[in-house]
Amino acid sequence: MTTPLRGLLVAGAAAAVLLASGAPAQAAPAIPKFKAPNTFGTSFQPDPKHDFTKGIHSRRNGILRGQIVAVRGGVAEYVPVKWKKSKHTEGYFVGPPEGDAMAYASRVAKDVVYLSALGCKASQAELTVSRNSSLGVKRCSRATLIKRHGKTPRPSLITVYKGQIVKVQEIFTP
């Protein structure tokens, strides 16, 4: 058997094994595991390589404790948040002060993972959080994420990868 023909047969056999195994021909790239910030951190997360003077654009890869403040055309604008202790309650989340340019914008991925702390239906608010982390665990649709967060900002852990929001996990606050 000639060498080019042998190479063709080997490549064909490898492709047949791959297809028979059920693996997709174009597997989606895996999202790396990023270190999550403290859920109730009392300072804004730094982003030293981000230049806020060059207009609003995506944050670097990683997880931001923040909230989506607007959604337009599949692009979400979001800001960092921090926990502020209060004299009369446990506390609450606050964003950057008025006039501060600390904001980002990223496209919401088509296959974004949205983990709600209050369930998927607004009419039936059900608490859907992890018992020990105050983080949402109920997976809801991209449309629900855009509708809910476009109207009412909710504190969340927002994962950005390659300029897209790939995961939003709400933080429950009473």
Side-chain angles (χ1 to χ4, degrees):
M1 197 177 277
T2 65
T3 305
L5 185 56
R6 184 178 298 146
L8 186 59
L9 285 174
V10 170
V17 169
L18 187 63
L19 290 174
S21 70
Q26 293 290 349
I31 299 166
K33 189 163 180 110
F34 298 111
K35 185 178 182 332
N38 182 347
T39 305
F40 294 95
T42 56
S43 62
F44 294 119
Q45 290 171 255
D47 194 359
K49 295 180 183 172
H50 194 88
D51 187 353
F52 291 101
T53 64
K54 294 190 176 182
I56 187 166
H57 58 280
S58 188
R59 188 175 197 280
R60 62 182 161 77
N61 292 343
I63 302 174
L64 174 73
R65 181 185 53 253
Q67 63 187 15
I68 296 172
V69 294
V71 181
R72 287 180 218 89
V75 175
E77 185 176 324
Y78 52 104
V79 297
V81 295
K82 66 180 180 177
W83 185 252
K84 183 170 184 169
K85 295 179 182 181
S86 173
K87 206 182 260 188
H88 304 290
T89 65
E90 290 181 46
Y92 52 94
F93 282 101
V94 296
E98 189 69 33
D100 193 319
M102 194 184 290
Y104 307 94
S106 299
R107 180 159 298 286
V108 178
K110 296 287 183 199
D111 57 348
V112 65
V113 174
Y114 170 42
L115 301 172
S116 172
L118 300 173
C120 297
K121 295 182 181 178
S123 61
Q124 300 173 330
E126 58 179 297
L127 193 57
T128 55
V129 296
S130 165
R131 289 180 189 238
N132 55 1
S133 71
S134 297
L135 296 173
V137 295
K138 175 74 174 174
R139 183 154 186 183
C140 301
S141 70
R142 178 180 189 268
T144 302
L145 166 70
I146 290 172
K147 182 178 179 184
R148 186 175 293 169
H149 284 260
K151 290 181 181 176
T152 308
R154 301 256 338 131
S156 306
L157 296 182
I158 302 168
T159 305
V160 177
Y161 182 60
K162 293 187 177 179
Q164 293 190 55
I165 295 175
V166 294
K167 183 177 179 183
V168 175
Q169 189 170 19
E170 284 183 346
I171 302 169
F172 175 73
T173 55

